[in-house]
Amino acid sequence: MAGQCIVVTSAKGGVGKTTITGNVGFALAASGYRVLLIDGDIGLKNLDSVLGLERRVVYDLFDVVTGRVALGDALVRDKRLNDRLFLLAASQTHFKEDIPLEKFSEIVEEARESFDYVLVDSPAGIEHGFRMSTRYADKALVVTVPEVPSIRDADRVLGLLENFKVGIIGVVINRLNKTLVRQGNMLSPEDVVDLLQVPLAGVVYDDPIIVQAVNQGEPVVYKYPNTAVAKAYVNIAKKIENPDYEVAVAAEQKPRGFWNLLGFLRGDN
Amino acid sequence: MSWLDVLFGRGTKQNAKSRLEVMLIHDRGLFSEAALEEMEKEILTVVRKYAEIETGAAEIFVDKVDNARMMLSIRVPVRGQKSKR
């Protein structure tokens, strides 16, 4: 059976598409699927560094498009997983417009043959790179942070995806700050779903562990698998596997132990 | 935010939500001011066939985002049924 192509998109930059693509892709591969990650952000590649694969990239999307190498030879294999996770890197020396849409479509079609999931990390914006990344996808994950400009852009992107006839898995709410939500100073996941009128595909709390993992070039789901954030990424993977999976908003972790008490006294939470 | 808001735990989120509700309706671009005016005229033409309308008191507006995405509300104060001829 041909694999599914899923685009991770947002229009607004800096909301966490790349980190989500890397971690969710890793989680899918860890649960047994063959997964290809394509960095669609031509000119500004980043997916390789989130996964810590930057030193192993030899060929990129542009080399495949021009026929310099075959698709299979351009992929970087993630050694942490046994032949299940691969990356097709973006080119840094070209522009998005250098990749013709139909060539990209051919690559996606070829990749579907040997992978269960092809995840495309879309660039910010709604221009050529966005069209390239979304047009051939079966389904989309729309990423937003719970702030006004990002939600507005997410709504715009949902409209464009509808025009392209791309199915919507749902919205991933990234960097939710539970203290702000409790104070009534940040939109809750329920509010965001209410505004955008699409299913909830995931909620990722703002957590310094994400920065620490990216610093080390390791996916959170691999390096810190027992954290709430890692579980949130795994739940997004479950939602991709099964659209009926109900994403629960993670229960707040109960303060316990000496360090939590210190944090409490300091005014955290 | 006043100290009362802080005391009762009312934060700025409600500002965000109501602003977004209005923004998204406009961004989705289904009802421009001109389109609403045109629609109001046509609807009132139909209503006038059956009821006596208070002139200039009719209102039509898009406001509430709910499961159907938005609510089109029409308020037409009527004096009574139109006399049959």
Side-chain angles (χ1 to χ4, degrees):
Chain A
M1 205 182 84
Q4 272 188 18
C5 179
I6 289 160
V7 63
V8 181
T9 188
S10 72
K12 184 140 180 22
V15 297
K17 286 181 293 293
T18 306
T19 316
I20 286 173
T21 309
N23 277 284
V24 171
F26 198 97
L28 279 169
S31 64
Y33 294 104
R34 278 176 59 82
V35 178
L36 172 64
L37 306 176
I38 300 181
D39 191 341
D41 204 351
I42 316 298
L44 296 163
K45 62 176 177 178
N46 274 319
L47 192 50
D48 55 343
S49 59
V50 163
L51 293 164
L53 297 175
E54 67 277 4
R55 291 168 62 197
R56 302 199 23 238
V57 174
V58 181
Y59 298 110
D60 57 46
L61 182 58
F62 193 76
D63 295 315
V64 181
V65 165
T66 52
R68 202 165 146 233
V69 287
L71 176 61
D73 296 332
L75 305 183
V76 181
R77 186 173 65 92
D78 192 319
K79 291 175 181 167
R80 288 163 293 210
L81 291 168
N82 200 11
D83 281 331
R84 290 203 300 274
L85 184 65
F86 292 80
L87 168 73
L88 178 56
S91 159
Q92 238 174 350
T93 50
H94 297 91
F95 295 102
K96 295 178 175 66
E97 290 71 18
D98 294 339
I99 313 275
L101 289 179
E102 62 279 9
K103 284 282 177 194
F104 187 77
S105 142
E106 287 168 20
I107 292 173
V108 170
E109 289 314 309
E110 190 182 338
R112 281 176 201 274
E113 297 306 313
S114 28
F115 291 94
D116 299 310
Y117 289 105
V118 179
L119 260 61
V120 183
D121 182 23
S122 146
I126 50 172
E127 294 83 22
H128 183 86
F130 168 80
R131 290 210 308 278
M132 177 190 87
S133 306
T134 51
R135 273 197 95 121
Y136 310 105
D138 303 295
K139 294 175 181 173
L141 275 181
V142 175
V143 181
T144 185
V145 294
E147 292 167 24
V148 173
S150 176
I151 292 168
R152 192 182 190 186
D153 284 358
D155 191 69
R156 174 101 172 89
V157 156
L158 285 165
L160 292 171
L161 291 169
E162 203 175 315
N163 291 345
F164 292 164
K165 310 246 183 296
V166 178
I168 308 292
I169 298 170
V171 61
V172 174
I173 300 162
N174 201 22
R175 294 204 203 111
L176 191 76
N177 182 315
K178 57 184 163 193
T179 308
L180 286 178
V181 171
R182 198 169 48 233
Q183 291 169 351
N185 280 321
M186 181 176 266
L187 292 163
S188 69
E190 293 78 9
D191 293 323
V192 177
V193 165
D194 195 29
L195 285 160
L196 295 177
Q197 293 293 311
V198 287
L200 184 62
V203 177
V204 184
Y205 283 106
D206 197 9
D207 192 323
I209 205 79
I210 301 171
V211 177
Q212 291 172 40
V214 174
N215 284 346
Q216 298 169 84
E218 303 274 13
V220 179
V221 288
Y222 177 75
K223 185 83 178 175
Y224 306 103
N226 294 320
T227 56
V229 174
K231 283 168 192 159
Y233 290 132
V234 169
N235 286 347
I236 298 169
K238 284 184 191 161
K239 183 74 179 173
I240 290 177
E241 268 181 79
N242 172 17
D244 295 329
Y245 177 77
E246 287 275 340
V247 177
V249 178
E252 283 179 28
Q253 284 180 329
K254 289 197 184 75
R256 67 190 137 86
F258 178 66
W259 292 108
N260 294 85
L261 181 64
L262 267 189
F264 177 73
L265 293 174
R266 210 174 53 199
D268 293 358
N269 298 310
Chain B
M1 259 199 348
S2 75
W3 64 272
L4 264 177
D5 291 331
V6 178
L7 191 68
F8 289 107
R10 287 180 298 216
T12 53
K13 133 185 153 160
Q14 210 45 51
N15 300 48
K17 198 165 183 194
S18 40
R19 285 177 60 220
L20 270 166
E21 280 174 350
V22 174
M23 269 184 244
L24 297 192
I25 286 168
H26 282 268
D27 290 354
R28 286 167 188 164
L30 292 183
F31 299 106
S32 63
E33 284 298 312
L36 276 179
E37 225 169 89
E38 188 67 28
M39 183 159 55
E40 182 179 319
K41 259 189 220 161
E42 290 187 31
I43 289 169
L44 292 186
T45 312
V46 176
V47 178
R48 264 193 211 99
K49 281 167 70 180
Y50 304 92
E52 299 281 350
I53 301 176
E54 282 189 36
T55 41
E59 277 183 298
I60 179 165
F61 44 88
V62 185
D63 59 354
K64 181 107 178 93
V65 176
D66 66 1
N67 293 333
R69 295 207 140 208
M70 61 186 80
M71 183 81 81
L72 181 68
S73 306
I74 303 162
R75 292 174 53 179
V76 187
V78 290
R79 288 209 197 94
Q81 204 179 353
K82 192 143 189 174
S83 52
K84 285 170 192 157
R85 266 166 249 173

